[in-house]
Tab-separated table of all heavy atoms in Angstrom:
chain	number	residue	atom	x	y	z
A	1	LYS	N	85.507	65.335	30.880
A	1	LYS	CA	85.603	63.855	30.842
A	1	LYS	C	84.936	63.381	29.578
A	1	LYS	O	83.679	63.521	29.467
A	1	LYS	CB	85.033	63.226	31.983
A	1	LYS	CG	85.295	61.815	32.189
A	1	LYS	CD	84.757	61.264	33.446
A	1	LYS	CE	85.071	59.716	33.696
A	1	LYS	NZ	84.517	59.311	34.965
A	2	LEU	N	85.590	62.853	28.609
A	2	LEU	CA	85.057	62.352	27.349
A	2	LEU	C	85.475	60.927	27.151
A	2	LEU	O	86.662	60.538	27.271
A	2	LEU	CB	85.525	63.214	26.149
A	2	LEU	CG	85.170	64.712	26.162
A	2	LEU	CD1	85.946	65.477	25.183
A	2	LEU	CD2	83.693	64.839	25.953
A	3	GLY	N	84.521	60.061	26.972
A	3	GLY	CA	84.851	58.634	26.744
A	3	GLY	C	83.721	57.757	27.275
A	3	GLY	O	82.612	58.322	27.466
A	4	ASN	N	84.013	56.474	27.624
A	4	ASN	CA	85.426	55.972	27.493
A	4	ASN	C	85.774	55.705	26.098
A	4	ASN	O	84.862	55.656	25.202
A	4	ASN	CB	85.464	54.681	28.369
A	4	ASN	CG	84.755	53.486	27.797
A	4	ASN	OD1	83.507	53.264	27.892
A	4	ASN	ND2	85.645	52.593	27.077
A	5	ILE	N	87.077	55.706	25.797
A	5	ILE	CA	87.443	55.709	24.412
A	5	ILE	C	88.114	54.221	24.080
A	5	ILE	O	88.788	53.735	24.891
A	5	ILE	CB	88.599	56.782	24.267
A	5	ILE	CG1	87.910	58.101	24.569
A	5	ILE	CG2	89.193	56.676	22.982
A	5	ILE	CD1	88.890	59.270	24.798
A	6	ARG	N	87.731	53.794	22.916
A	6	ARG	CA	88.174	52.509	22.503
A	6	ARG	C	88.846	52.597	21.178
A	6	ARG	O	89.059	53.780	20.519
A	6	ARG	CB	87.004	51.436	22.573
A	6	ARG	CG	86.597	50.954	23.841
A	6	ARG	CD	87.607	50.320	24.660
A	6	ARG	NE	88.011	49.079	24.039
A	6	ARG	CZ	87.573	47.907	24.271
A	6	ARG	NH1	86.513	47.763	25.157
A	6	ARG	NH2	87.894	46.813	23.691
A	7	SER	N	89.116	51.491	20.562
A	7	SER	CA	89.973	51.419	19.348
A	7	SER	C	89.245	51.758	18.107
A	7	SER	O	87.960	51.726	18.059
A	7	SER	CB	90.528	50.038	19.167
A	7	SER	OG	89.512	49.055	19.069
A	8	CYS	N	89.975	52.190	17.148
A	8	CYS	CA	89.520	52.636	15.862
A	8	CYS	C	89.116	51.484	14.914
A	8	CYS	O	89.610	50.388	14.998
A	8	CYS	CB	90.596	53.455	15.125
A	8	CYS	SG	90.348	53.857	13.473
A	9	ARG	N	88.126	51.721	14.012
A	9	ARG	CA	87.898	50.886	12.839
A	9	ARG	C	88.025	51.733	11.705
A	9	ARG	O	87.420	52.844	11.668
A	9	ARG	CB	86.572	50.184	12.934
A	9	ARG	CG	86.424	49.269	14.088
A	9	ARG	CD	87.313	48.069	13.973
A	9	ARG	NE	87.170	47.132	15.140
A	9	ARG	CZ	87.834	47.169	16.250
A	9	ARG	NH1	88.744	48.270	16.488
A	9	ARG	NH2	87.600	46.333	17.241
A	10	ASP	N	88.603	51.353	10.577
A	10	ASP	CA	88.888	52.325	9.531
A	10	ASP	C	87.721	52.931	8.865
A	10	ASP	O	87.840	54.098	8.419
A	10	ASP	CB	89.825	51.575	8.486
A	10	ASP	CG	89.253	50.421	7.897
A	10	ASP	OD1	88.174	49.946	8.401
A	10	ASP	OD2	89.819	49.867	6.884
A	11	TYR	N	86.600	52.243	8.754
A	11	TYR	CA	85.501	52.837	8.110
A	11	TYR	C	84.957	54.137	8.854
A	11	TYR	O	84.403	55.014	8.238
A	11	TYR	CB	84.344	51.897	7.879
A	11	TYR	CG	84.111	50.797	8.889
A	11	TYR	CD1	83.345	50.860	9.847
A	11	TYR	CD2	84.857	49.569	8.834
A	11	TYR	CE1	83.007	49.901	10.817
A	11	TYR	CE2	84.723	48.543	9.791
A	11	TYR	CZ	83.726	48.670	10.790
A	11	TYR	OH	83.550	47.722	11.634
A	12	TYR	N	85.108	54.088	10.117
A	12	TYR	CA	84.696	55.306	10.911
A	12	TYR	C	85.588	56.567	10.598
A	12	TYR	O	85.036	57.667	10.657
A	12	TYR	CB	84.811	55.037	12.438
A	12	TYR	CG	83.750	54.162	12.988
A	12	TYR	CD1	84.040	52.775	13.151
A	12	TYR	CD2	82.604	54.643	13.495
A	12	TYR	CE1	83.030	51.919	13.697
A	12	TYR	CE2	81.584	53.719	13.973
A	12	TYR	CZ	81.895	52.401	14.068
A	12	TYR	OH	80.905	51.527	14.655
A	13	VAL	N	86.729	56.335	10.214
A	13	VAL	CA	87.555	57.471	9.943
A	13	VAL	C	87.179	58.255	8.636
A	13	VAL	O	87.160	59.405	8.570
A	13	VAL	CB	89.139	57.011	9.639
A	13	VAL	CG1	90.012	58.187	9.308
A	13	VAL	CG2	89.659	56.255	10.891
A	14	TYR	N	86.602	57.481	7.790
A	14	TYR	CA	86.041	58.046	6.609
A	14	TYR	C	84.825	59.003	6.842
A	14	TYR	O	84.619	60.045	6.182
A	14	TYR	CB	85.623	57.008	5.450
A	14	TYR	CG	86.868	56.461	4.881
A	14	TYR	CD1	87.529	55.359	5.353
A	14	TYR	CD2	87.480	57.047	3.743
A	14	TYR	CE1	88.678	54.709	4.812
A	14	TYR	CE2	88.651	56.500	3.180
A	14	TYR	CZ	89.307	55.380	3.696
A	14	TYR	OH	90.302	54.769	3.177
A	15	TRP	N	84.023	58.538	7.808
A	15	TRP	CA	82.889	59.367	8.220
A	15	TRP	C	83.400	60.621	8.994
A	15	TRP	O	82.765	61.718	8.934
A	15	TRP	CB	81.870	58.518	9.099
A	15	TRP	CG	81.342	57.479	8.316
A	15	TRP	CD1	80.982	57.432	6.931
A	15	TRP	CD2	81.134	56.118	8.730
A	15	TRP	NE1	80.615	56.246	6.571
A	15	TRP	CE2	80.671	55.296	7.604
A	15	TRP	CE3	81.335	55.374	9.883
A	15	TRP	CZ2	80.293	54.016	7.718
A	15	TRP	CZ3	81.054	54.116	10.005
A	15	TRP	CH2	80.472	53.297	8.906
A	16	ALA	N	84.497	60.391	9.733
A	16	ALA	CA	85.081	61.604	10.482
A	16	ALA	C	85.624	62.630	9.615
A	16	ALA	O	85.629	63.747	9.799
A	16	ALA	CB	86.211	61.118	11.421
A	17	PHE	N	86.233	62.117	8.432
A	17	PHE	CA	86.811	63.030	7.385
A	17	PHE	C	85.769	64.093	7.064
A	17	PHE	O	86.095	65.224	6.708
A	17	PHE	CB	87.201	62.168	6.137
A	17	PHE	CG	88.481	61.592	6.092
A	17	PHE	CD1	88.689	60.417	5.391
A	17	PHE	CD2	89.558	62.126	6.802
A	17	PHE	CE1	89.960	59.785	5.284
A	17	PHE	CE2	90.849	61.491	6.777
A	17	PHE	CZ	90.984	60.414	6.009
A	18	GLU	N	84.577	63.717	6.902
A	18	GLU	CA	83.497	64.529	6.330
A	18	GLU	C	83.363	65.880	7.221
A	18	GLU	O	82.871	66.902	6.663
A	18	GLU	CB	82.113	63.900	6.305
A	18	GLU	CG	82.075	62.658	5.429
A	18	GLU	CD	80.672	62.077	5.353
A	18	GLU	OE1	79.768	62.778	5.763
A	18	GLU	OE2	80.618	60.871	4.895
A	19	TRP	N	83.678	65.835	8.431
A	19	TRP	CA	83.515	66.935	9.379
A	19	TRP	C	84.895	67.656	9.656
A	19	TRP	O	84.841	68.635	10.480
A	19	TRP	CB	82.940	66.465	10.695
A	19	TRP	CG	81.750	65.695	10.492
A	19	TRP	CD1	81.508	64.329	10.521
A	19	TRP	CD2	80.387	66.265	10.222
A	19	TRP	NE1	80.184	64.064	10.234
A	19	TRP	CE2	79.506	65.167	10.077
A	19	TRP	CE3	79.929	67.514	10.154
A	19	TRP	CZ2	78.079	65.379	9.832
A	19	TRP	CZ3	78.478	67.807	9.856
A	19	TRP	CH2	77.640	66.709	9.753
A	20	ASP	N	85.971	67.297	8.981
A	20	ASP	CA	87.357	67.776	9.323
A	20	ASP	C	87.486	67.609	10.796
A	20	ASP	O	88.071	68.549	11.466
A	20	ASP	CB	87.473	69.203	8.788
A	20	ASP	CG	88.894	69.613	8.931
A	20	ASP	OD1	89.879	68.806	8.898
A	20	ASP	OD2	89.168	70.910	8.975
A	21	ALA	N	87.119	66.454	11.353
A	21	ALA	CA	87.236	66.266	12.857
A	21	ALA	C	88.585	65.789	13.240
A	21	ALA	O	89.311	65.223	12.535
A	21	ALA	CB	86.170	65.205	13.214
A	22	LEU	N	88.946	66.147	14.568
A	22	LEU	CA	90.159	65.546	15.218
A	22	LEU	C	89.670	64.199	15.733
A	22	LEU	O	88.760	64.095	16.534
A	22	LEU	CB	90.557	66.461	16.346
A	22	LEU	CG	91.043	67.835	15.888
A	22	LEU	CD1	91.086	68.804	17.115
A	22	LEU	CD2	92.424	67.756	15.228
A	23	TYR	N	90.266	63.131	15.226
A	23	TYR	CA	89.802	61.820	15.514
A	23	TYR	C	90.451	61.219	16.862
A	23	TYR	O	91.716	61.200	16.859
A	23	TYR	CB	90.093	60.866	14.380
A	23	TYR	CG	89.488	59.507	14.443
A	23	TYR	CD1	88.192	59.296	14.091
A	23	TYR	CD2	90.240	58.338	14.928
A	23	TYR	CE1	87.590	57.975	14.139
A	23	TYR	CE2	89.734	57.178	14.918
A	23	TYR	CZ	88.434	56.902	14.550
A	23	TYR	OH	87.940	55.618	14.627
A	24	VAL	N	89.624	60.899	17.861
A	24	VAL	CA	90.112	60.402	19.149
A	24	VAL	C	89.800	58.914	19.333
A	24	VAL	O	88.668	58.520	19.212
A	24	VAL	CB	89.463	61.270	20.223
A	24	VAL	CG1	90.049	60.845	21.635
A	24	VAL	CG2	89.674	62.770	20.008
A	25	HIS	N	90.898	58.147	19.557
A	25	HIS	CA	90.689	56.655	19.605
A	25	HIS	C	91.825	56.115	20.515
A	25	HIS	O	92.749	56.859	20.972
A	25	HIS	CB	90.791	56.007	18.270
A	25	HIS	CG	92.164	56.192	17.589
A	25	HIS	ND1	93.051	55.132	17.386
A	25	HIS	CD2	92.806	57.301	17.119
A	25	HIS	CE1	94.121	55.514	16.812
A	25	HIS	NE2	94.097	56.839	16.621
A	26	PHE	N	91.728	54.806	20.757
A	26	PHE	CA	92.714	54.126	21.500
A	26	PHE	C	93.265	52.912	20.688
A	26	PHE	O	92.810	51.762	20.893
A	26	PHE	CB	92.180	53.703	22.909
A	26	PHE	CG	93.182	53.550	23.946
A	26	PHE	CD1	93.290	54.471	25.023
A	26	PHE	CD2	94.044	52.490	23.925
A	26	PHE	CE1	94.243	54.395	25.967
A	26	PHE	CE2	95.000	52.310	25.025
A	26	PHE	CZ	95.127	53.299	25.988
A	27	GLY	N	94.204	53.102	19.825
A	27	GLY	CA	94.691	52.034	18.973
A	27	GLY	C	93.786	51.578	18.008
A	27	GLY	O	92.809	52.249	17.600
A	28	GLY	N	93.957	50.345	17.595
A	28	GLY	CA	93.152	49.688	16.539
A	28	GLY	C	93.959	48.644	15.757
A	28	GLY	O	95.201	48.521	15.835
A	29	PRO	N	93.253	47.791	15.031
A	29	PRO	CA	93.929	46.715	14.266
A	29	PRO	C	94.693	47.228	13.054
A	29	PRO	O	94.618	48.448	12.763
A	29	PRO	CB	92.770	45.881	13.759
A	29	PRO	CG	91.675	46.829	13.692
A	29	PRO	CD	91.857	47.756	14.799
A	30	PHE	N	95.616	46.407	12.579
A	30	PHE	CA	96.492	46.888	11.476
A	30	PHE	C	95.747	47.454	10.272
A	30	PHE	O	96.349	48.170	9.462
A	30	PHE	CB	97.498	45.856	11.095
A	30	PHE	CG	96.966	44.769	10.297
A	30	PHE	CD1	96.906	44.759	8.907
A	30	PHE	CD2	96.436	43.569	10.978
A	30	PHE	CE1	96.402	43.780	8.165
A	30	PHE	CE2	95.850	42.570	10.200
A	30	PHE	CZ	95.942	42.614	8.804
A	31	TYR	N	94.516	47.070	10.176
A	31	TYR	CA	93.727	47.567	9.012
A	31	TYR	C	93.627	49.071	8.923
A	31	TYR	O	93.282	49.642	7.942
A	31	TYR	CB	92.300	46.935	8.996
A	31	TYR	CG	92.240	45.483	8.801
A	31	TYR	CD1	91.931	44.639	9.901
A	31	TYR	CD2	92.624	44.840	7.626
A	31	TYR	CE1	91.779	43.205	9.761
A	31	TYR	CE2	92.560	43.449	7.414
A	31	TYR	CZ	92.153	42.717	8.465
A	31	TYR	OH	92.142	41.253	8.364
A	32	ILE	N	93.848	49.756	10.024
A	32	ILE	CA	93.596	51.184	10.168
A	32	ILE	C	94.856	51.944	9.625
A	32	ILE	O	94.762	53.156	9.474
A	32	ILE	CB	93.199	51.688	11.543
A	32	ILE	CG1	94.442	51.595	12.485
A	32	ILE	CG2	92.066	50.900	12.077
A	32	ILE	CD1	94.263	52.232	13.831
A	33	ASP	N	95.926	51.226	9.477
A	33	ASP	CA	97.263	51.982	9.427
A	33	ASP	C	97.241	53.027	8.301
A	33	ASP	O	97.834	54.124	8.512
A	33	ASP	CB	98.366	50.885	9.198
A	33	ASP	CG	98.599	50.001	10.420
A	33	ASP	OD1	98.116	50.423	11.457
A	33	ASP	OD2	99.448	49.070	10.403
A	34	GLU	N	96.850	52.657	7.087
A	34	GLU	CA	96.928	53.601	5.982
A	34	GLU	C	96.098	54.739	6.185
A	34	GLU	O	96.525	55.937	6.103
A	34	GLU	CB	96.579	52.800	4.692
A	34	GLU	CG	96.923	53.670	3.438
A	34	GLU	CD	95.796	54.717	3.115
A	34	GLU	OE1	94.659	54.428	3.420
A	34	GLU	OE2	96.266	55.718	2.557
A	35	VAL	N	94.785	54.573	6.588
A	35	VAL	CA	93.877	55.759	6.603
A	35	VAL	C	94.161	56.633	7.872
A	35	VAL	O	93.943	57.797	7.743
A	35	VAL	CB	92.360	55.226	6.640
A	35	VAL	CG1	92.119	54.430	7.798
A	35	VAL	CG2	91.443	56.390	6.341
A	36	ILE	N	94.593	55.959	8.961
A	36	ILE	CA	94.799	56.787	10.134
A	36	ILE	C	96.009	57.713	9.945
A	36	ILE	O	96.118	58.767	10.537
A	36	ILE	CB	94.988	55.809	11.329
A	36	ILE	CG1	94.675	56.680	12.624
A	36	ILE	CG2	96.424	55.287	11.491
A	36	ILE	CD1	93.169	56.958	12.747
């Protein structure tokens, strides 16, 4: 059981990039579209 899981914000994705991580989220605003 991992969570609870909520929506993405694009700046977090750039920090996830650093670890080559699999990014787990639940949707997000349209600002995330390009980076996600």
Side-chain angles (χ1 to χ4, degrees):
K1 190 175 184 180
L2 297 168
N4 72 280
I5 298 168
R6 288 296 298 269
S7 58
C8 169
R9 298 296 180 270
D10 55 350
Y11 34 97
Y12 287 95
V13 180
Y14 288 91
W15 300 320
F17 274 151
E18 300 186 14
W19 304 101
D20 191 23
L22 297 162
Y23 188 82
V24 183
H25 66 109
F26 205 106
F30 72 90
Y31 294 113
I32 73 170
D33 291 350
E34 191 277 330
V35 69
I36 205 70

